[in-house]
Amino acid sequence: MTSIGGAEMVDWNLAVATATRFVRPGPDVSRDEARAVVAELRRHAKASEEHVRGFTRLIPEGHEPQDTPVLVVDRAGWVKANVAGFRELLKPLLDKMQERRPGGPGGAVLGAVGGKVTGVELGMLLSFLASRVLGQYETFAPPTRELPAGESGGGRLLLVAPNIVHVERELEVDPHDFRLWVCLHEETHRTQFTGVPWLRDHLEGEIQSFLAETEVDPMTVLERFREAAQSLSGARPEGEEDESGRSIVELVQTPAQREILSRLTAVMSLLEGHADFVMDGVGPDVVPSVAEIREKFQQRRARGASRLDQALRKLLGLDAKLRQYRDGERFVRSVVEEVGMDGFNRVWTSPNTLPTKAEIAKPADWVARVHRKAES
């Protein structure tokens, strides 16, 4: 991909190999149990389509969008899918970093060493995340032989079976209900992108604009990955904190990026909050124990984990993602209560009707801007 003298900025194959080597083993299940889990997740994913579409009313009856595949994967499969996505999405940033690399033999050697170092660091981070993700709609997924994607650049929906089994056992909830509950959340993301045709291109444009504005020295990025890997391995001395307190994403912000990131944060809060709202809204009709699942799941989120886990969440920006679930769900619920589901669905009209970051915190301001202005 991005190389000088044959040396890539990131050794992607090494990233996959490292993550696969260090990822935690999944829960103990027999071969028959594993097959049953996979089969049930596929059934729930299919059933979720009708439930989510009926509740959200995002896809009118008779309008069948292009299908995107549902893949039930293990932790290694999730790693491979995400490396492929990173490789595609980060190409502009890596091209810019390549241009800054010194020329000549020294630059090639630096590239070879740096690419392997970055591959290892990225692999370590992915090994951490691979045991935590329950499901994911990959919006920018390039198709591969092992991991097909939708037509014309469409995405794919991943369900990480061992993680779902691990959490349902940890929470001691009904496994059949929990699996359907997770599928409802992920199917909502698939419905968002298949039911709102402009959303994918808009989001990709914002991300590429963010990356195009990046002004960062390659060695600074390598050092940031190294800090994360040291936290993961316990190599950071006890009591030593990250002095800047910033995540990897915050490290690369220019003034223009801060504006883009504000818009991206609002969109991601909307998408995640909408998915949480839908999974709980559909739940009472099809998931008998939804109230118990939600209560225990929220307690699990609030408890967090070890100090190591908390440090990594901060460094990777995962704390911000948890806030997106909470703030976005509150925004969606408030708007639906005031103007109904059809009134809320005006949010999908165009990029101009998406909420701002400030409006996520104050839903009434969005209602006033989009509804009152349209009615006046």
Side-chain angles (χ1 to χ4, degrees):
M1 182 181 123
T2 306
S3 62
I4 289 182
E8 294 187 340
M9 288 291 297
V10 179
D11 189 329
W12 300 104
N13 292 332
L14 185 57
V16 171
T18 301
T20 303
R21 177 183 177 186
F22 286 99
V23 71
R24 297 175 183 176
D28 290 331
V29 294
S30 68
R31 188 180 297 272
D32 288 342
E33 287 175 320
R35 287 173 178 159
V37 170
V38 170
E40 183 172 25
L41 286 173
R42 286 174 176 160
R43 289 196 303 271
H44 284 332
K46 184 63 179 176
S48 295
E49 293 182 21
E50 181 178 350
H51 296 316
V52 170
R53 293 177 187 183
F55 185 82
T56 64
R57 301 201 282 274
L58 262 179
I59 301 176
E61 292 185 16
H63 291 74
E64 196 65 25
Q66 287 186 341
D67 196 20
T68 54
V70 176
L71 307 177
V72 182
V73 298
D74 58 12
R75 291 169 177 175
W78 180 87
V79 167
K80 292 176 182 177
N82 276 266
V83 166
F86 284 148
R87 188 170 186 168
E88 184 79 12
L89 200 58
L90 295 179
K91 188 177 185 303
L93 176 60
L94 295 178
D95 284 345
K96 176 177 285 191
M97 292 171 66
Q98 175 193 2
E99 293 172 0
R100 293 190 173 192
R101 183 189 295 167
V109 171
L110 175 63
V113 174
K116 291 189 179 299
V117 170
T118 309
V120 170
E121 311 296 15
L122 178 59
M124 291 292 290
L125 297 180
L126 288 173
S127 73
F128 168 79
L129 295 172
S131 61
R132 285 158 171 75
V133 177
L134 301 182
Q136 175 182 353
Y137 182 75
E138 282 201 295
T139 315
F140 311 108
T144 67
R145 185 174 61 182
E146 293 179 317
L147 297 164
E151 298 178 3
S152 303
R156 58 184 168 229
L157 193 153
L158 304 179
L159 297 169
V160 190
N163 296 350
I164 293 172
V165 171
H166 171 77
V167 174
E168 70 192 27
R169 291 179 178 179
E170 178 187 336
L171 298 181
E172 297 182 337
V173 294
D174 183 283
H176 309 292
D177 284 3
F178 184 74
R179 293 166 195 174
L180 177 55
W181 189 70
V182 171
C183 287
L184 290 170
H185 181 101
E186 302 308 331
E187 175 58 35
T188 302
H189 286 316
R190 185 165 70 150
T191 298
Q192 290 164 347
F193 283 93
T194 55
V196 185
W198 55 264
L199 184 59
R200 179 187 182 277
D201 288 342
H202 171 72
L203 193 58
E204 183 177 23
E206 292 279 60
I207 292 172
Q208 294 303 339
S209 295
F210 181 89
L211 294 177
E213 288 289 334
T214 298
E215 297 293 341
V216 63
D217 179 76
M219 295 309 296
T220 305
V221 174
L222 290 179
E223 181 60 29
R224 206 58 165 184
F225 275 120
R226 189 165 298 109
E227 290 175 8
Q230 286 174 350
S231 296
L232 185 59
S233 64
R236 181 184 296 278
E238 182 67 24
E240 180 179 331
E241 300 290 345
D242 175 18
E243 294 180 358
S244 69
R246 295 182 297 174
S247 71
I248 290 174
V249 171
E250 292 171 322
L251 174 73
V252 295
Q253 286 186 60
T254 64
Q257 282 181 308
R258 283 193 286 273
E259 294 183 12
I260 299 170
L261 189 61
S262 177
R263 296 195 298 268
L264 279 171
T265 299
V267 174
M268 297 310 297
S269 297
L270 171 68
L271 298 179
E272 296 293 359
H274 184 234
D276 262 13
F277 177 80
V278 171
M279 72 194 297
D280 288 343
V282 173
D285 292 331
V286 298
V287 182
S289 59
V290 64
E292 177 192 0
I293 290 173
R294 168 54 73 187
E295 181 181 1
K296 289 185 174 181
F297 197 76
Q298 291 288 61
Q299 289 174 354
R300 182 177 184 269
R301 278 181 180 172
R303 281 197 310 266
S306 65
R307 182 180 173 203
L308 169 61
D309 190 80
Q310 291 171 355
L312 274 167
R313 285 180 180 276
K314 183 176 183 180
L315 185 62
L316 298 175
L318 298 182
D319 284 342
K321 185 174 179 62
L322 293 178
R323 289 194 296 272
Q324 288 170 2
Y325 287 105
R326 181 194 63 215
D327 297 344
E329 194 276 337
R330 185 185 300 123
F331 169 83
V332 176
R333 176 165 35 84
S334 298
V335 172
V336 171
E337 287 175 355
E338 184 164 352
V339 297
M341 184 62 75
D342 290 334
F344 164 77
N345 280 342
R346 287 194 188 181
V347 78
W348 312 114
T349 304
S350 74
N352 293 329
T353 56
L354 291 172
T356 64
K357 189 176 179 180
E359 288 171 340
I360 288 289
K362 295 183 177 180
D365 289 354
W366 179 86
V367 172
R369 177 171 67 86
V370 174
H371 283 266
R372 307 285 189 267
K373 184 176 180 180
E375 293 166 2
S376 60

